Amino acid sequence: MGLDLSSLNSVRNFVSEFESLNLPLNLLINNAGKFALEPAVSEDGIEMTFATNYLGHFLLTKLLLKKMIETAKTSGLQGRIVNVSSSIYKWFSGDMIRYLCEISRNKLRDFDPTRAYALSKLAIVLHTKEVAQRLKQMEANVTVNCVHPGVVRTRLTREREGMVTDIAFFLTSKLLKTIPQAAATTCYVATHPALVNATGKYFSDCNEASTSKLGSNSTEAARLWTASEIMVSRGSKAVFDPLTSALDYDRKSNSRKRKE
């Protein structure tokens, strides 16, 4: 089935088509990835790396959760969601939503490919934490975890292919994983019996690993969730700028907290 994670409309069409098949859904692996060398925005007005790596997955997961919860209940088998992140998420610091606004609007002035990629991967870590918390509150028999696959040469770097990239990969070849090795942690988290009921965790090399201070910040996770809900709202682009609304909501929320 065709699916373009950078397009919210494509995600909705995919889910609609999938639901029409009336199939069970036990496992969801969110693995699409893009490293945009040049600045670009999606058809929904969001910076392309963030739109593809995170926001499309946010909407996909949101729309498929009901089916996963129903499948787990009827089958008695625990559903699992695996989000593929990267240790590069630790490279991002600062205000996530504000930086996203900057690179989505003033892309030529503020865009840094590596920082944008790190932002998208941090969003995945925080999303995992927030979804896990919400599923627990619902008492749903579905878990969600995220993984760092390791450093591996795939077509992720296709926009940077050339002699310099080839030399860089050659010099670091001893540190690289093969594609099967890189997929091992994802497969482990998706299928291993030892991880029944494990949720909201971060895994690397088939072991649970700790996250950064920002990556484990529940306040930032909730803030990102709210902004994401606004950004995927139907017709939001035609009615209002979703990024401005996310910032406005954030300002009002902070103002209320100060008054309290």
Side-chain angles (χ1 to χ4, degrees), residues 128-141:
T128 300
K129 182 179 182 67
E130 185 67 16
V131 175
Q133 183 63 31
R134 289 169 179 263
L135 287 170
K136 283 182 179 178
Q137 292 173 352
M138 296 168 63
E139 297 184 348
N141 191 24

Side-chain angles (χ1 to χ4, degrees), residues 64-113:
L64 290 176
L65 264 183
K66 182 179 178 181
K67 172 62 74 173
M68 292 198 74
I69 293 171
E70 289 176 351
T71 300
K73 188 173 182 179
T74 57
S75 68
L77 299 174
Q78 190 169 75
R80 294 190 185 186
I81 302 169
V82 183
N83 295 326
V84 179
S85 182
S86 168
S87 62
I88 290 176
Y89 86 85
K90 297 176 182 178
W91 296 11
F92 184 86
S93 61
D95 188 309
M96 298 176 62
I97 306 303
R98 188 168 298 280
Y99 181 64
L100 178 60
C101 286
E102 292 172 357
I103 59 178
S104 294
R105 294 172 178 161
N106 309 312
K107 52 185 183 299
L108 294 176
R109 186 184 67 190
D110 301 301
F111 185 75
D112 178 287

Side-chain angles (χ1 to χ4, degrees), residues 100-193:
L100 178 60
C101 286
E102 292 172 357
I103 59 178
S104 294
R105 294 172 178 161
N106 309 312
K107 52 185 183 299
L108 294 176
R109 186 184 67 190
D110 301 301
F111 185 75
D112 178 287
T114 302
R115 193 175 186 213
Y117 184 74
L119 169 63
S120 72
K121 293 301 182 178
L122 171 61
I124 292 170
V125 174
L126 291 172
H127 177 242
T128 300
K129 182 179 182 67
E130 185 67 16
V131 175
Q133 183 63 31
R134 289 169 179 263
L135 287 170
K136 283 182 179 178
Q137 292 173 352
M138 296 168 63
E139 297 184 348
N141 191 24
V142 178
T143 65
V144 54
N145 294 287
C146 63
V147 304
H148 166 56
V151 183
V152 56
R153 186 169 190 181
T154 64
R155 295 301 310 286
L156 179 70
T157 57
R158 56 187 173 273
E159 292 185 15
R160 279 189 169 177
E161 287 182 347
M163 183 178 294
V164 174
T165 300
D166 289 341
I167 292 173
F169 274 115
F170 174 76
L171 294 175
T172 59
S173 59
K174 297 296 184 182
L175 303 176
L176 298 180
K177 290 184 176 182
T178 64
I179 291 177
Q181 287 171 337
T185 302
T186 299
C187 293
Y188 169 71
V189 174
T191 63
H192 204 285

